[in-house]
Structures are given as C-alpha cells and as structure tokens.
Amino acid sequence: MSKIQMKTPLVELDGDEMTRILWQMIKEQLILPFVDLKSEYYDLGLVHRDETDDQVTVDAAMAIKRYGVGVKCATITPNVQRMDEYKLHQMWKSPNGTLRALLDGTVFRAPILVKGIEPLVRGWEKPITIARHAYGDVYRNVEIKTPAAGKAELVFTDENGGEIRETIAELQAGDIIQGMHNRQKSIRSFAHACFQYALATKQDLWFSTKDTISKKYDGLFKEVFAEIYEQEYAAAFEKAGITYFYTLIDDAAARMIRSQGGFIWACKNYDGDVMSDVISTAFGSLAMMTSVLVSPEGNYEYEAAHGTVTRHYYQYLDGQETSTNPIATIFAWSGALSKRGELDNLPDLNEFGKRLEKAVIRTVEAGTVTKDLAGMLQNVTPQVMNSRQFLEAVAKRLEADD
Ligand code: NAP
Ligand code: MG
C-alpha cells in the first residue's frame, strides 16, 4: 500500500506526561503507516520550554502563522509544585495562553458523538460547538475589597488629559468593586472567527450576551457582530443555507437545552468557560471533546480539550499499562490532517482524516473502549482495553477501512 503524500508540513507541537506518551503511540500506530508525514516539529514539553526560555512556544506560533495548520499535544501549565518537580528557571506562562495571544484566536470546542453514549439531554442529536472569546472581561479584572466606607468611581483619563468620571456606589467597609475591559479589535477578531467557522462547518451561528443590562459593554459585542455580519457575511450565509441568530444569554441557555444541537454557540469569555463544561459533561466526557483555535487570518491549531492526565502518567512511570482515552488527541491529528488536505487540495489526505475518525467511532460503537467510557456505553458489553490495545483495534479497522 503506498502512503498518502503531503505538500506542506504540519506544525507539530509535542507536549507532556501521559499525552506525550499517547502522542508517540498515535503517530506510530495510526499516522506513519498510512501517511508520508511531513511535519515541522516543536517540542513544547516543559523540559524543552525551560531550556529555551519558552522561545520554542513563540517559534511554534510563528510556524503556525507561516504554514496555517498546527496540531498540539496537551502541555503542563507550570505552578509552584511544577517549579520544584521540573527545577524550572521561571514559572512559564500557559502555552495555550501564549499561542492564543500570538495567533489572536477564538477557541471552538465540540463533543465527539458516538452511538451508545447518549447525551444526558435527550433531544440532542448533533454536537453543539462552543466558540469562546478568549480575551478580557473578568479574566483581566482589577478588584478592590474596601477597607473603609467611601465612594467608588469609574474614571477614564484619555491621552489628552480629558476625564470621564462615573459614580459606581457609596460603599461600606468590606464591600467589593471590580473593573473589567475588552478591546474592540479583539471583539472584531472574535466575530470574524465565528462567522468563518460557521461557514467552514456549515452550521448555524448563535451569539448571546446580556446587552439589556450591560448596554454599552455587552452592547458593543452585539453591535460589532451585527455590523460585521451585515457587511461581510450575510450573503455567504444565505448561499450556504445557514443563519446567524442573536439572543440574550438566558434565552440561549433555554433554547440550547430544547434544541437538537448542530449549531455553534458563540459566548463571551466567562459564559464560554461555564457553558463548555456544561456541554461537555452533558455529552459524556472531557476525553471526548475536540478543541480548535481559529485565528482571523485563517490559521488553525488543533488539540484535545483535556490536560496531560498526570495521574495516569505516574502509573505509567510505575511500569503499568494505562487505559487512557486517546480519542480527543487522535481527533486533533485527524482534524489537522484533513484541514491540511483541504488547503493543499489533496483529497486523499483530507479523506484520510475522516476515515481515521470513522475507524475510532466504529471501534467504540463495537464496544472496544478505554476505561473511562466503559460505564457510559449502552447496548453493548464493553471490552476495556489499555491505550495500546485500543489503538491497535483502531489501526485494524483503518487498514480494513471498516
Ligand atoms: P486532566 O489532565 O484533564 O485530567 C483530569 C482527570 O480527568 C484525569 O485524572 C482523568 O481522571 C480524567 N481524564 C482526562 N483526560 C482523560 C483521558 N484522555 N482519558 C482518561 N481520563 C481522562 O486535568 P488535570 O489533571 O487537572 O491537569 C493535568 C495537567 O494538564 C496540568 O499540569 C495542567 O496544567 C495541564 N492542562 C493542560 C491543558 C492543555 O494543554 N490544553 C488543559 C488542561 C490542563 P481519572 O484520574 O479519574 O482517570
Ligand atoms: Mg473552565
């Protein structure tokens, strides 16, 4: 069997712990036997990030900007305990945060649906994708807990020395104040990413905020989306047979539960944080959630939504075979390879990604699963495999194109 050829390299971002082990296994068992893989490799494992003063993360982001498509393994975000464990020179920032800042993107998260694992919401037939704005609001806030009674004010001093001053409230000691911001440039990028992703995946787009209460702040989000839609996307949406729909966040939450799924829900930063956990849990598991960062320039970075599965890694280091679910990481590879095939006009490569996903889904539907899915599977008696055996079962189906 001749291997599928590639034109442009895929930017490969390796990572940490159990997912780094799975990464290698996935490449060996599911990618390299079928694809003549061209990749530009960046080692974002914490050891190498530390050795390069995190320059490798910046270089990887630049490579994604150059080539357009990257695939990323889960990585450790250092904390105090990791400083000690890895003898780090510095508490490096979250690689995902660094990549997002450089690529200026929006994160899209969608569950992987499998027959036999029923969503907790009975009406859901298709996935619901959350598009989360990844800049600002409460994540870049400034807070005060008042030490004494006094007056809280919102003050803006412009660069020419002009001033706007609004009274927030008269407060007592022990009260609380919070300041937040966002940037029009970031909101515009967010809107473009959402409209483009809806077109690319041919799904309706919902967007929700609380603009009835937050008239200027959430109002700007609503206006920017409406303006960009009318000026740049309305015609393309109509042609693709999809719709753009704005509603209040509470209305969207109620409609989402009553829906059949099959749409993208764009959310502000905090709403997206909460709602993506609601959606992933209701669909089954974090290990069955894909994640892709899409930049307004049209760059794509595919990854799994979960972390490095530290607890399993320690078992692995102890010499045990673990039953860690590799599906989200496989889907990061399949998504990236398909996209590469699409951009380079290589139908075989594009098709390979889809065949790989089909092989994974059919393996699970036949009852061959990792431990985390065993309890969720209905209609078949699950056979629990370790990660290596699970990947072998997928590889067999892929070979047989079953
Ligand atoms: P985690 O790696 O997602 O794992 C949390 C727990 O969820 C695991 O212990 C496991 O439960 C279950 N789980 C997650 N993925 C699984 C899979 N593929 N198969 C089977 N079970 C799975 O989160 P964490 O333990 O909080 O974080 C570990 C490290 O990952 C941290 O250093 C964090 O910084 C990093 N992280 C990275 C990313 C990223 O790169 N995108 C995202 C989140 C966290 P059981 O132990 O019960 O089996
Ligand atoms: Mg969260």
Side-chain angles (χ1 to χ4, degrees):
M1 194 179 66
S2 67
K3 291 189 191 181
I4 294 163
Q5 297 298 308
M6 295 180 65
K7 278 186 202 156
T8 316
L10 198 60
V11 184
E12 178 183 346
L13 287 65
D14 207 345
D16 287 299
E17 298 196 310
M18 202 59 220
T19 40
R20 188 182 179 95
I21 308 297
L22 291 177
W23 194 258
Q24 205 51 45
M25 286 162 53
I26 290 168
K27 275 174 72 176
E28 277 165 18
Q29 297 192 53
L30 297 179
I31 312 291
L32 297 175
F34 304 94
V35 178
D36 193 3
L37 182 68
K38 269 200 179 124
S39 77
E40 196 165 294
Y41 180 86
Y42 292 85
D43 183 2
L44 266 63
L46 187 50
V47 174
H48 193 59
R49 271 183 277 151
D50 195 49
E51 281 166 4
T52 62
D53 288 346
D54 209 19
Q55 183 61 36
V56 66
T57 309
V58 176
D59 292 346
M62 292 308 153
I64 294 174
K65 276 178 178 273
R66 213 161 41 243
Y67 293 116
V69 186
V71 57
K72 179 181 173 289
C73 179
T75 46
I76 293 170
T77 297
N79 55 16
V80 177
Q81 184 220 323
R82 300 294 195 172
M83 292 287 291
D84 194 40
E85 183 183 350
Y86 283 83
K87 308 273 173 278
L88 300 178
H89 294 101
Q90 209 176 304
M91 201 187 294
W92 307 110
K93 286 195 186 141
S94 149
N96 287 327
T98 304
L99 293 166
R100 262 177 227 154
L102 291 167
L103 295 170
D104 187 15
T106 301
V107 179
F108 295 88
R109 293 206 156 162
I112 300 161
L113 298 201
V114 173
K115 281 197 210 85
I117 300 179
E118 299 303 326
L120 294 171
V121 179
R122 268 178 288 130
W124 289 356
E125 287 166 10
K126 295 179 193 158
I128 296 170
T129 302
I130 294 284
R132 175 181 170 190
H133 184 215
Y135 178 81
D137 302 348
V138 72
Y139 300 86
R140 296 275 178 112
N141 68 358
V142 179
E143 301 180 312
I144 297 173
K145 186 171 176 197
T146 56
K151 182 159 97 170
E153 292 177 293
L154 188 60
V155 182
F156 175 74
T157 315
D158 75 39
E159 58 188 3
N160 306 314
E163 190 182 274
I164 303 174
R165 186 176 287 264
E166 296 273 356
T167 299
I168 298 170
E170 300 285 345
L171 297 175
Q172 298 303 314
D175 289 347
I176 41 181
I177 316 163
Q178 169 166 267
M180 308 194 290
H181 77 281
N182 220 301
R183 297 180 193 277
Q184 186 159 159
K185 180 167 179 279
S186 176
I187 300 168
R188 288 184 170 272
S189 299
F190 173 42
H192 280 292
C194 291
F195 290 125
Q196 284 170 17
Y197 197 73
L199 282 170
T201 61
K202 294 213 171 24
Q203 296 183 87
D204 291 344
L205 177 68
W206 297 13
F207 180 44
S208 59
T209 71
K210 195 69 180 176
D211 71 287
T212 44
I213 301 298
S214 170
K215 291 191 167 62
K216 286 187 182 146
Y217 198 109
D218 283 16
L220 182 68
F221 280 84
K222 180 185 175 180
E223 281 161 27
V224 163
F225 267 69
E227 177 210 306
I228 291 178
Y229 176 69
E230 285 309 327
Q231 290 180 359
E232 298 184 47
Y233 295 97
F237 266 53
E238 195 171 334
K239 201 168 153 219
I242 57 174
T243 56
Y244 168 61
F245 167 60
Y246 176 86
T247 188
L248 291 171
I249 177 78
D250 39 353
D251 182 48
R255 283 171 187 265
M256 175 267 296
I257 295 288
R258 289 196 307 265
S259 78
Q260 299 183 332
F263 59 91
I264 298 159
W265 183 9
C267 290
K268 287 178 63 202
N269 210 346
Y270 173 79
D271 298 341
D273 186 358
V274 177
M275 289 307 163
S276 63
D277 281 17
V278 170
I279 301 269
S280 67
T281 306
F283 270 110
S285 156
L286 197 59
M288 298 291 280
M289 193 83 171
T290 62
S291 185
V292 55
L293 175 73
V294 181
S295 85
E297 292 157 13
N299 299 311
Y300 293 78
E301 184 229 305
Y302 292 82
E303 58 169 347
H306 59 76
T308 59
V309 210
T310 309
R311 205 179 63 85
H312 296 211
Y313 182 58
Y314 291 135
Q315 291 171 353
Y316 168 86
L317 290 180
D318 240 17
Q320 299 172 38
E321 285 280 356
T322 71
S323 183
T324 316
N325 188 337
I327 293 178
T329 306
I330 299 173
F331 271 61
W333 276 96
S334 60
L337 289 169
S338 273
K339 179 54 80 178
R340 195 66 273 168
E342 182 194 317
L343 296 178
D344 289 351
N345 203 8
L346 296 170
D348 283 359
L349 187 62
N350 179 272
E351 199 52 41
F352 173 76
K354 292 176 183 151
R355 274 170 47 213
L356 177 54
E357 292 177 4
K358 195 178 120 204
V360 169
I361 287 171
R362 288 181 55 79
T363 303
V364 175
E365 286 177 351
T368 305
V369 289
T370 46
K371 205 161 94 191
D372 56 307
L373 296 186
M376 291 183 219
L377 210 57
Q378 294 166 2
N379 309 331
V380 316
T381 311
Q383 285 186 290
V384 176
M385 305 281 160
N386 63 41
S387 301
R388 190 174 300 280
Q389 295 165 326
F390 177 79
L391 291 170
E392 274 162 16
V394 174
K396 268 202 196 119
R397 277 189 192 268
L398 191 55
E399 264 161 36
D401 213 359
D402 176 12

